[in-house]
Amino acid sequence: MADDQGPDGDRNRAQKPTRDRDSSRADEYADRAEIRDTYDRIATHFASTREYAWSEVESFVETHAGDLETATADGVGLDLGCGNCRHAELLAPHLESVVGLDVSRGLLETGRTRATERGFDVELVQADAAALPLATDAVDLAVYVATLHHLPTRRARRDSLDELARVLSPEGRALVSAWSTAHDRFDETEGFDTTVEWTLPGGEPVDRFYHIYAPDEFEADLADSALELREWELSSGNCYATVAGARGPGSD
């Protein structure tokens, strides 16, 4: 369910506070099912507005793909929260295989269409980002952009970061991003939950859940996870981090 780069990149961007999502496990699963259903509902229209890859992702892939091609001939890529697979398309020329994973079946269908029309290979998997159906150490290069902030509790977000650490190979790298309070549209300095309205072509509004990260909160969640934080930055109102798996070179 890869989203846009921030409020100014979204023509449907009214925010409003939501209830505290750190509730019971049953409530959390209900919230996650609601988020999945929301993206199934808007999938076709949403994907039609997400044509181009982000420049930050292009830079990440260019930086790390060359080393990967030298190190392994059968690398595996992962576009986690792939949406219409615009970033899987970037990974495909550099890797033997690419997995596009999303919780929304509707978005996966838009990814299938894009891959067919543009002639790149991607294996599409419907799954939750907090419980990846992938083998340990299986992924060499991953992008996890504009999806983490859709998970409705800190527990789910942390679980997803730990899962990313588990599936990354010892030499693997991933790019993680999330919306941030650093964007000048927001007055808040601490992380908060909100909804962002998406308007369908007929004018029907659909609310989408977001957790807007404070930069120090984003860094803390990464530091508390099994990932090894290599570097991070703010760009276009988003937090970005380059990470390695728990057994990456130089880790304890």
Side-chain angles (χ1 to χ4, degrees), residues 173-190:
R173 295 290 182 272
L175 180 68
V176 181
S177 84
W179 280 18
S180 167
T181 59
H183 196 285
D184 58 15
R185 183 171 190 83
F186 299 123
D187 295 327
E188 292 84 352
T189 57
E190 296 183 356

Side-chain angles (χ1 to χ4, degrees), residues 6 32 43-44 153-154 159 161 204 214:
R32 286 154 81 169
T44 301
T153 65
R154 184 171 187 263
D159 285 350
L161 294 173
E204 180 185 2

